[in-house]
Amino acid sequence: QKEVEQNSGPLSVPEGAIASLNCTYSDRVSQSFFWYRQYSGKSPELIMSIYSNGDKEDGRFTAQLNKASQYVSLLIRDSQPSDSATYLCAVNRVNRDDKIIFGKGTRLHILP
Amino acid sequence: DVKVTQSSRYLVKRTGEKVFLECVQDMDHENMFWYRQDPGLGLRLIYFSYDVKMKEKGDIPEGYSVSREKKERFSLILESASTNQTSMYLCASRAGQAHYGYTFGSGTRLTVV
């Protein structure tokens, strides 16, 4: 089982709709969770971090964490063409080797 | 904002050359990392460092070495470049607190011919 799993996509969402990106992780001791956005040819950019069960909102972005189900999600409301990118889920194994483990990413395409 | 600067955006090197990739961060971060990113393989950790003169192997250290003589600078060295090291190389840094995410540099796209 891969440590951090994401659907590779592409996920196509109409402009203005809600984009929902999902991620599961295998290590129960993980404590910090991150979402990175990566445009083609560019480096990853941290857009959200979450540490506690529940929702965390920042502008049009909402991160959701369910530690019991080992599941993290990112919702993007009012999707814009500029949101078209690859979204990487990342998990920090704080009580083990303290490294961040990345998923392979989900490609999101917002349809104008 | 933390700035992580990688010295070159694009590099073309010949097989067998020794290649140096430089990374500098300006926020006094303890932790620095080198990744490579390839289509379908995602981000793979090459080496990391938790402090000056300290280094730890990541998942794919073969063919690479690193140097961290100063806290702000972390260099990746390809001892003898090979075509299978053609990739996007990404440097990242993080403050000592484990719950912080990484800040990435802009990346170096290396082509070995």
Side-chain angles (χ1 to χ4, degrees):
Chain A
Q1 183 185 7
K2 296 177 183 173
E3 293 197 63
V4 180
E5 293 205 60
Q6 299 179 254
N7 189 315
S8 62
L11 174 65
S12 295
V13 174
E15 184 175 356
I18 295 175
S20 178
L21 303 162
N22 304 315
C23 171
T24 58
Y25 61 95
S26 61
D27 192 340
R28 285 193 173 274
V29 302
S30 302
Q31 295 192 8
S32 303
F33 306 87
F34 309 94
W35 283 99
Y36 286 82
R37 178 177 61 200
Q38 186 174 24
Y39 293 115
S40 180
K42 303 294 185 182
S43 62
E45 172 192 12
L46 179 65
I47 56 171
M48 290 288 288
S49 56
I50 186 167
Y51 315 113
S52 304
N53 279 327
D55 294 0
K56 179 181 178 182
E57 188 175 316
D58 184 359
R60 295 187 296 112
F61 298 98
T62 299
Q64 299 176 317
L65 174 60
N66 184 325
K67 288 187 179 181
S69 300
Q70 295 176 240
Y71 179 92
V72 193
S73 64
L74 179 70
L75 302 178
I76 306 174
R77 289 182 300 281
D78 188 24
S79 296
Q80 303 296 312
S82 59
D83 295 326
S84 297
T86 296
Y87 289 80
L88 304 174
C89 174
V91 174
N92 190 346
R93 305 185 301 196
V94 173
N95 291 334
R96 289 180 61 180
D97 55 17
D98 201 25
K99 287 191 290 189
I100 290 180
I101 308 299
F102 288 86
K104 291 185 179 179
T106 298
R107 281 190 296 135
L108 175 65
H109 182 47
I110 305 302
L111 303 169
Chain B
D1 281 349
V2 177
K3 196 164 186 181
V4 180
T5 302
Q6 294 185 233
S7 53
S8 303
R9 188 74 179 92
Y10 299 96
L11 274 179
V12 180
K13 296 292 182 179
R14 295 195 178 278
T15 301
E17 278 194 76
K18 191 168 185 176
V19 181
F20 293 85
L21 302 182
E22 304 289 343
C23 176
V24 177
Q25 50 94 3
D26 66 358
M27 282 298 290
D28 202 36
H29 282 177
E30 290 87 353
N31 306 324
M32 297 188 74
F33 307 82
W34 274 106
Y35 286 85
R36 62 178 286 178
Q37 187 175 33
D38 302 286
L41 297 177
L43 284 160
R44 293 183 290 169
L45 181 63
I46 305 171
Y47 266 97
F48 59 104
S49 169
Y50 288 145
D51 204 345
V52 177
K53 296 195 183 293
M54 294 182 65
K55 58 185 178 183
E56 299 283 344
K57 292 181 180 179
D59 300 318
I60 52 163
E62 297 78 18
Y64 303 94
S65 62
V66 290
S67 172
R68 193 163 182 204
E69 296 296 318
K70 293 184 179 181
K71 192 173 187 179
E72 67 270 19
R73 186 181 297 270
F74 191 35
S75 302
L76 179 69
I77 304 156
L78 286 66
E79 299 290 344
S80 178
S82 63
T83 55
N84 63 12
Q85 292 179 311
T86 292
S87 185
M88 170 70 93
Y89 288 88
L90 291 161
C91 175
S93 75
R94 189 189 71 192
Q97 299 298 321
H99 60 270
Y100 290 133
Y102 295 164
T103 299
F104 284 90
S106 56
T108 296
R109 184 162 296 281
L110 173 67
T111 302
V112 182
V113 298

